[in-house]
Amino acid sequence: MAKEDKSIWLIFFEGIKIFALNIHKFLLYMAFPVLGQLLGLVLIFGLTYWFTRNYQNLAVKYTSLNDFSTMLTVVIITVIPGLLIWARAFWDYLVAYVAINSMTEGYLNTGRVYDFTAHNEIVTKRTFSFIALWLLFSIFCLVSFIPVFWIIGAVFFVYFLLIFQVFTYEDGISPVGIFKRSLNLIKGKFARTFLLMALLTIFTYYFLPAGLSVIFDSLNLTGVLGKIFEAWAYTLPLPLEVFQRFNISITPELIGKEMVSQLVFFIVVGFTLPVRSICWTLWYKNLYFDSSSEVIEKKRKSSKKVSAKTFKIEKRGIDPEIIRRARLEDDEY
């Protein structure tokens, strides 16, 4: 019996539903990857800002700081803690692109989201391939930013949207092969894939950030944080007078407001990564079934005799250990 091809709207709302039913677990899982990056940046720039503002007083008290090499060493030591926190949080955020796919599979099989560590191991067991995949994707994005490649880059970006789902669920494919596999899955489904991407972009990149901005404004957080960023902007070596000569209005006040806007955007987009990953996983499963059915049908037509063997694309099933842990109490995870 053929499986019904799901509509994009059904997948979109099903993804939101899965996220909403498990929002506390997804927010907990994304807390360090998102807030850890912010904490790292606050430590990096905050301590650097403090050192810069108090350098003259410190240099009088500690004469060794008058030496450039000593001063540089102190700055580096000051930056290292924040940099380490940021790097670890950033790595965990990249890992989430794959782990959440596995969590979605686990939810569809058991009705629960559980055992974050086990899902992370999908990446840690294939770290080299995962890094190579991100490296290739980064190179592709950099090339796509070149104006002459904007259109073709945008088209292939849609075709490569399922690379992390392919990495999660299919074994024995090289990083380059993962891009080809994603392209083959989406081939013939470009318009529907683009529609899903547009829905997710509008919902998580525009609608939800606008909603959080309203909350920030109502709680006066926008004004408080804006003053903090504004004070920091005054210490920047920006040629504000030069900008003004060219009628470019860049002021510390504007920088402060824009920083708050970007902060809200970063928080929302970071914490809603599960929504996007869940939807793309559901779309991958839909396309995977279609591609498997087509291959089986072609093989059946080309065969003169009925064979007991059936074609199946090599696919990694969910780890039995994860299923076992799903039966344990939620409090253990």
Side-chain angles (χ1 to χ4, degrees), residues 161-194:
L161 282 169
L162 297 181
I163 57 175
F164 298 108
Q165 282 67 33
V166 174
F167 178 89
T168 304
Y169 296 116
E170 300 188 26
D171 280 321
I173 304 180
S174 67
V176 174
I178 289 174
F179 281 86
K180 293 180 180 179
R181 174 65 175 152
S182 176
L183 188 150
N184 289 329
L185 284 170
I186 296 175
K187 187 183 298 182
K189 307 288 185 179
F190 181 90
R192 297 175 66 191
T193 304
F194 180 83

Side-chain angles (χ1 to χ4, degrees), residues 50-116:
W50 176 86
F51 183 77
T52 303
R53 289 294 299 269
N54 296 277
Y55 173 71
Q56 292 182 350
N57 295 331
L58 292 173
V60 172
K61 187 175 181 179
Y62 304 101
T63 56
S64 58
L65 288 176
N66 291 314
D67 181 67
F68 178 77
S69 60
T70 303
M71 182 190 68
L72 183 61
T73 302
V74 172
V75 171
I76 293 175
I77 293 175
T78 303
V79 167
I80 286 178
L83 186 60
L84 291 177
I85 293 175
W86 177 87
R88 178 54 193 267
F90 181 69
W91 169 254
D92 287 353
Y93 189 81
L94 298 184
V95 170
Y97 274 82
V98 170
I100 295 173
N101 300 334
S102 180
M103 292 178 197
T104 304
E105 178 79 3
Y107 177 84
L108 295 175
N109 280 276
T110 67
R112 296 177 55 203
V113 175
Y114 51 87
D115 202 353
F116 299 154

